[in-house]
Amino acid sequence: MSYDFLRLRVSETVRHIQKRTKKRPAVALILGSGLGDFADLLDNAVSIPTSSIPNYPHSTVVGHAGKIVIGSLRHSGRSSPTLVVFKGRVHFYETGDLTPTVLPVHVAHALGARDLIVTNAAGGINRTYSPGDLMLIRDVLSLTFLGDRQFHTSDAILPNAPQLPGGSSRQRVAPVFSPRLVALVRNAASAIGLPMREGVYCWLKGPSYETVAEIEMLHRIGADAVGMSTVPEISAAATLGMDLLGLSLISNLASGISPSKLTHDEVTETANRVKHQFAILLKHVLVRL
Ligand code: HPA
């Protein structure tokens, strides 16, 4: 799909949202597999089913209800900035096209959000990890080799965008996580006594889970966790100049590390078990932004 298609979808979606609410979000949050319930914790929220938005793409994956929720959070006597929360995502493997996958990022940016927090469920490759661990994403590997043009949609949205660091606005901007947001998460994890992993997230296209040999390869090249999302969104956001934070919930041990066969049910069951801890951590961070 073309840049024009993306521009049209963004303006249609933004118009639709701005008809429903005058709130202007400063922070965007994309909720991964099994983590969508976090959106229900927002106060005075406006919740917009994505099915009501003309031509908005829908996820076909269980645990990815399509909703955009705008509101704020209260926690320990503090309030968060206004948030736009995307409950459910469209993975690249569902369409073979990055446009629906990066659309929420462009919508959030057009609504005014400058921080993006991306969450996912991921398979643990690092042998010290256990299902239910939370991992702060320190860096990413992309083995889809979808670079360059596919990510460089910012010039469609920002036709007069200033030259981005590293060259033309069509050049990929490697996502770098925000030191400010990383420090906030580390402080939050230690304040609430939550052991936090830190590692490299590897994006594979999916939709099938990996072979044992593939996981061994990923281990050798430095991946700590593997999943089928997040890199497109953070790459688009980096190109738009947003500040980034990525969090993985280790929902299972990756193929060959776990003796049992992996299923999507295991992913959502683990997410259900630890989503409460995940919510406490996120609330702690969001009310300090
Ligand atoms: N592999 C790929 N994607 C995943 C996994 C996995 O083990 N767990 C959750 N998403």
Side-chain angles (χ1 to χ4, degrees):
M1 275 176 225
S2 67
Y3 296 157
D4 285 346
F5 178 87
L6 179 63
R7 183 166 40 203
L8 207 63
R9 293 292 83 81
V10 173
S11 53
E12 241 172 11
T13 306
V14 167
R15 228 180 303 126
H16 189 87
I17 292 172
Q18 290 183 337
K19 265 193 243 153
R20 305 284 155 101
T21 178
K22 300 242 172 310
K23 294 179 202 283
R24 295 288 173 262
V27 178
L29 178 61
I30 298 179
L31 296 171
S33 286
L35 299 170
D37 289 355
F38 187 81
D40 304 331
L41 303 176
L42 268 56
D43 278 336
N44 301 320
V46 178
S47 176
I48 302 169
T50 53
S51 55
S52 71
I53 303 173
N55 304 309
Y56 197 90
H58 306 296
S59 177
T60 52
V61 181
V62 176
H64 284 270
K67 267 193 194 149
I68 299 175
V69 185
I70 301 184
S72 54
L73 272 172
R74 293 192 61 73
H75 183 63
S76 352
R78 295 168 179 252
S79 291
S80 74
T82 301
L83 311 170
V84 53
V85 181
F86 295 86
K87 185 171 172 172
R89 57 153 60 87
V90 178
H91 303 79
F92 174 68
Y93 66 73
E94 294 179 69
T95 63
D97 175 3
L98 283 168
T99 313
T101 304
V102 300
L103 177 62
V105 175
H106 287 274
V107 167
H109 185 266
L111 288 170
R114 291 298 174 263
D115 289 345
L116 174 70
I117 303 178
V118 185
T119 69
N120 60 51
I125 295 177
N126 185 316
R127 284 169 173 77
T128 67
Y129 289 6
S130 306
D133 283 355
L134 293 181
M135 185 187 92
L136 171 63
I137 304 177
R138 294 294 292 137
D139 207 343
V140 295
L141 278 167
S142 168
L143 293 196
T144 63
F145 302 106
L146 290 171
D148 305 321
R149 268 188 68 85
Q150 282 91 339
F151 286 119
H152 305 312
T153 43
S154 66
D155 44 347
I157 308 303
L158 307 167
N160 303 316
Q163 195 85 340
L164 289 164
S168 88
S169 59
R170 287 223 170 183
Q171 205 162 49
R172 180 176 180 191
V173 176
V176 175
F177 294 96
S178 151
R180 170 181 61 95
L181 298 175
V182 164
L184 256 181
V185 172
R186 286 186 180 142
N187 291 341
S190 78
I192 61 182
L194 185 70
M196 183 90 183
R197 308 293 194 163
E198 297 198 8
V200 172
Y201 174 90
C202 178
W203 175 40
L204 294 188
K205 187 165 73 62
S208 49
Y209 291 117
E210 300 71 32
T211 65
V212 173
E214 283 163 352
I215 293 299
E216 178 56 28
M217 172 188 75
L218 300 186
H219 170 64
R220 291 188 199 190
I221 63 173
D224 296 295
V226 61
M228 305 175 195
S229 67
T230 300
V231 174
E233 290 105 314
I234 60 170
S235 297
T239 306
L240 292 168
M242 297 173 85
D243 277 2
L244 297 170
L245 179 71
L247 292 171
S248 291
L249 166 78
I250 304 299
S251 55
N252 59 280
L253 298 178
S255 305
I257 297 184
S258 154
S260 55
K261 187 168 175 290
L262 175 59
T263 63
H264 185 62
D265 285 349
E266 183 184 345
V267 172
T268 43
E269 275 160 27
T270 311
N272 270 334
R273 182 162 60 75
V274 296
K275 66 185 180 196
H276 182 63
Q277 279 182 326
F278 174 84
I280 294 174
L281 178 79
L282 261 187
K283 280 198 243 177
H284 199 97
V285 169
L286 291 168
V287 298
R288 284 170 177 78
L289 286 175

